[in-house]
Amino acid sequence: MQVLKEEIRFSILNAAKELFLEKGFEMASMNMIAKKAGISKSNLYNYFPSKEDIFYVLTEYAYDKIESVLEDLFNHGSDDNFDVERFVALASEKLISLLTKYKKEMMLIVDCSQGTKFEGTKQAFILRLQEHYISEFKKFDILVEDNDYFFVHYIATSLIEGLLEIIRHDKSDAWIRKNINLFIKYYIRGYSQFFTDDFS
């Protein structure tokens, strides 16, 4: 029985990550992955039975981390004494930590996952954010004419797309940190205006 070598497995995962980011899950093949990793296709199958298995090894742990951060932010416990600046700092810290550590995995999940169980994840994130915002508006008796919450769709979309646009540039961690911090300050301070007494 062939001994599986950790360095070969690592090489396979790195090669697959690059190919999935470049071509997307559907267009990448096991042949391409084997060639890029510098091994035979038959040897590749000793490590992974399919490209789906490779994709999920690359993404499932990061997806769980994303879910955890979303739950933390959704359960921030807003009330009448909600401190906007404290939440800005909390959200920035959590999102910076997540998106610097898992930026490529995040791009795999939202931009390159067609044909996998993560297809549609970006829209699912947006929908959850919309539902959270609508719940907050109702909780604080913020009236919206004719219950037309379409504007919630575009403010939720702008948050998700804004964060993705930052990591898509694939700059340094320091650059990502600075831009996420600026974006979150701009976004949350604007969003908090819905909860002021003079909102109309």
Side-chain angles (χ1 to χ4, degrees):
M1 178 179 177
Q2 183 177 2
V3 176
L4 301 183
K5 297 180 180 177
E6 191 60 29
E7 60 267 29
I8 295 177
R9 186 176 186 275
F10 184 74
S11 178
I12 292 167
L13 291 172
N14 275 344
K17 183 186 290 185
E18 289 181 24
L19 282 167
F20 290 144
L21 287 168
E22 177 188 345
K23 299 179 178 296
F25 173 79
E26 286 191 318
M27 296 303 295
S29 68
M30 292 292 269
N31 276 332
M32 293 176 185
I33 295 168
K35 183 176 180 180
K36 193 168 186 68
I39 62 172
S40 67
K41 186 177 177 182
S42 61
N43 195 20
L44 173 58
Y45 281 105
N46 288 323
Y47 291 84
F48 296 99
S50 69
K51 68 176 182 176
E52 287 86 354
D53 289 276
I54 300 173
F55 191 85
Y56 296 140
V57 167
L58 289 168
T59 55
E60 283 186 327
Y61 184 78
Y63 181 82
D64 289 343
K65 290 294 184 183
I66 295 165
E67 286 281 321
S68 177
V69 167
L70 285 177
E71 287 305 310
D72 284 350
L73 295 178
F74 286 165
N75 296 320
H76 54 73
S78 62
D79 54 32
D80 291 334
N81 299 314
F82 179 65
D83 186 331
V84 172
E85 296 308 313
R86 185 176 60 81
F87 186 65
V88 165
L90 172 69
S92 293
E93 177 188 348
K94 286 185 174 293
L95 289 168
I96 287 167
S97 176
L98 177 73
L99 295 176
T100 51
K101 190 168 185 180
Y102 300 109
K103 59 186 174 183
K104 290 190 175 179
E105 290 79 5
M106 183 72 163
M107 286 189 287
L108 286 174
I109 290 166
V110 298
D111 287 340
C112 309
S113 60
Q114 189 166 353
T116 77
K117 68 181 181 182
F118 291 133
E119 183 177 347
T121 292
K122 180 172 71 174
Q123 289 307 313
F125 287 159
I126 290 170
L127 180 60
R128 286 172 63 189
L129 202 54
Q130 289 176 209
E131 292 171 348
H132 175 71
Y133 289 162
I134 291 170
S135 173
E136 291 285 292
F137 289 146
K138 290 179 177 178
K139 175 180 173 182
F140 287 94
D141 295 321
I142 296 172
L143 301 178
V144 176
E145 187 176 351
D146 298 325
N147 287 324
D148 183 0
Y149 287 102
F150 180 74
F151 77 97
V152 173
H153 171 73
Y154 57 76
I155 62 174
T157 301
S158 71
L159 176 60
I160 300 300
E161 281 293 349
L163 292 170
L164 291 174
E165 189 61 18
I166 291 169
I167 62 172
R168 284 176 185 135
H169 281 75
D170 199 20
K171 302 282 188 179
S172 69
D173 286 357
W175 186 91
I176 291 172
R177 173 179 293 276
K178 179 183 78 172
N179 281 276
I180 288 178
N181 190 46
L182 288 170
F183 179 61
I184 293 300
K185 284 180 181 177
Y186 163 82
Y187 186 89
I188 294 177
R189 288 173 182 171
Y191 175 75
S192 69
Q193 296 306 303
F194 288 113
F195 299 90
T196 61
D197 292 336
D198 59 353
F199 173 75
S200 60

